């Protein structure tokens, strides 16, 4: 008898391009709902869902889409953080459909522009992709996404999200570390800028009102 969770057994034998191509082929012209996409994935559902959602956020200066998508990413990453086996999403979100043309474009993009990921990524440094390492990656995803929600700050944290997601999909701790470094650097930069603005505002107020 097949275990109810057997379809979630981790298998890194498929590269990223092949995973996306399989989704595009399964969806055909009609496409797939997020529910159907989730049910076609193994334990990498978390990483691939977040990667699919983060790619549109790479467009510089985009407003509206990153803010809406960011809420969903945080919800997914939070479940990964607490160790939930399969990502849960509200039914309304699960019923959202990725059109066939969009899935095909994603697969084409992965095959033409992201082939280097499949060439360079491989299972390694597994301590950063499983257990506590996986939960740490989820925390960095949440922190990066919080800055995506801010206006005009979406591209760099989306790069961090993409690296973290690929690391979890391919079980490559080096990509997870790269995403964590990008996220940490970005958060540090924003923190320095915020402190600078506060100090500048205080100095200006003293100059004007004292």
């Amino acid at each position: 008898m097949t275990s109810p969770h057997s379809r979630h057994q981790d298998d890194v034998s498929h590269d990223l391009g092949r995973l996306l191509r399989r989704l595009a082929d399964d969806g055909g012209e009609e496409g797939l709902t997020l529910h159907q996409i989730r049910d076609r994935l193994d334990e990498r559902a978390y990483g691939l869902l977040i990667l699919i959602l983060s790619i549109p956020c790479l467009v510089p200066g985009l407003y509206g889409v990153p803010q809406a998508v960011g809420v969903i990413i945080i919800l997914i990453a939070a479940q990964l953080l607490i160790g939930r086996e399969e990502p849960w999403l509200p039914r309304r979100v699960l019923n959202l459909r990725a059109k066939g043309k969009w899935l095909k474009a994603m697969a084409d993009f992965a095959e033409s522009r992201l082939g280097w990921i499949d060439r360079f990524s491989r299972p390694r440094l597994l301590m950063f992709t499983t257990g506590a390492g996986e939960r740490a990656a989820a925390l960095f995803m949440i922190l990066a996404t919080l800055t995506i929600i801010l206006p005009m700050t979406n591209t760099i944290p989306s790069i961090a999200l993409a690296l973290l997601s690929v690391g979890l999909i391919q079980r490559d701790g080096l990509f997870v570390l790269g995403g964590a470094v990008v996220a940490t650097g970005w958060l540090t930069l924003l923190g320095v800028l915020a402190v600078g603005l506060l100090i500048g505002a205080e100095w200006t107020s003293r100059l004007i009102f004292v």
Side-chain angles (χ1 to χ4, degrees):
M1 182 175 179
T2 304
S3 168
H5 298 299
S6 60
R7 67 186 178 88
H8 292 293
Q9 290 176 354
D10 200 18
D11 175 15
V12 295
S13 62
H14 299 297
D15 58 38
L16 181 60
R18 193 175 302 172
L19 277 171
L20 293 174
R21 179 60 63 190
R22 187 182 69 191
L23 291 176
D25 291 343
D26 287 351
E29 294 184 2
E30 187 179 73
L32 298 170
T33 64
L34 284 182
H35 187 282
Q36 291 170 324
I37 291 174
R38 185 193 66 181
D39 287 349
R40 279 167 169 76
L41 302 176
D42 51 26
E43 287 183 358
R44 291 172 294 175
Y46 280 104
L48 192 54
L49 279 175
I50 292 175
L51 178 64
I52 289 173
L53 291 169
S54 67
I55 286 178
C57 300
L58 290 167
V59 179
L62 189 64
Y63 184 77
V65 173
Q67 288 71 33
V69 168
V71 175
I72 302 176
I73 293 176
I74 289 174
L75 178 59
I76 295 174
Q79 294 174 68
L80 180 61
L81 179 63
I82 64 175
R84 186 180 174 88
E85 181 181 346
E86 182 180 70
W88 173 89
L89 289 169
R91 184 174 298 277
R92 180 176 297 182
V93 175
L94 286 173
N95 288 336
L96 294 176
R97 181 173 296 276
K99 296 181 179 179
K101 289 183 179 180
W102 188 75
L103 288 174
K104 183 179 182 299
M106 286 275 294
D108 291 341
F109 178 80
E111 290 173 349
S112 62
R113 302 292 181 87
L114 301 181
W116 63 271
I117 290 176
D118 296 319
R119 289 194 298 271
F120 291 106
S121 64
R122 62 182 184 274
R124 57 186 162 186
L125 301 176
L126 298 182
M127 68 181 72
F128 297 112
T129 67
T130 58
E134 188 176 56
R135 290 191 289 274
L139 180 59
F140 277 108
M141 285 176 169
I142 293 172
L143 293 174
T145 306
L146 288 174
T147 68
I148 286 178
I149 295 175
L150 298 174
M152 307 298 287
T153 63
N154 53 287
T155 299
I156 294 178
S158 295
I159 292 173
L161 275 176
L163 290 171
L164 289 162
S165 299
V166 167
L168 295 183
I169 293 168
Q170 305 291 69
R171 290 291 182 252
D172 192 333
L174 192 60
F175 275 77
V176 172
L177 287 174
V181 168
V182 173
T184 301
W186 180 241
L187 290 166
T188 301
L189 177 61
L190 288 182
V192 169
L193 290 175
V195 170
L197 288 174
L198 288 173
I199 293 175
E202 183 180 359
W203 182 83
T204 302
S205 65
R206 288 180 179 179
L207 183 66
I208 296 175
F209 299 108
V210 176

